[in-house]
Amino acid sequence: VSRQVAVLSSSTPTPAPGLAPQLEALFAQVARRAVAEWQVERLIVAGGETSGAVVSALDIPAARLVSRIAPRVPALLALGQRP
């Protein structure tokens, strides 16, 4: 069964101090579970801090540039073992 899910957050305005790191951790946990338990094979993650949290949670050691979606928006292929 193919499903598409979108989860978004906005940094402007920040509704509560310290909320951004909590959202990054939440996105990282969701990504880890999606890959490990639900066999998700493709993720789209935007934002530097959020992307970093997701990459760390998935233990991605390296990535290869596949294409450029737009200026400063790369499409990357994760390298390494699947979590």
Side-chain angles (χ1 to χ4, degrees), residues 25-75:
L26 175 64
F27 284 129
Q29 290 174 349
V30 169
R32 182 177 30 236
R33 187 168 182 191
V35 170
E37 296 180 25
W38 306 323
Q39 290 75 48
V40 169
E41 295 182 355
R42 291 184 179 102
L43 295 171
I44 298 173
V45 183
E49 297 297 325
T50 302
S51 296
V54 169
V55 165
S56 292
L58 294 176
D59 264 343
I60 297 173
R64 185 177 74 220
L65 178 64
V66 176
S67 66
R68 295 186 194 281
I69 298 168
R72 299 185 314 193
V73 183

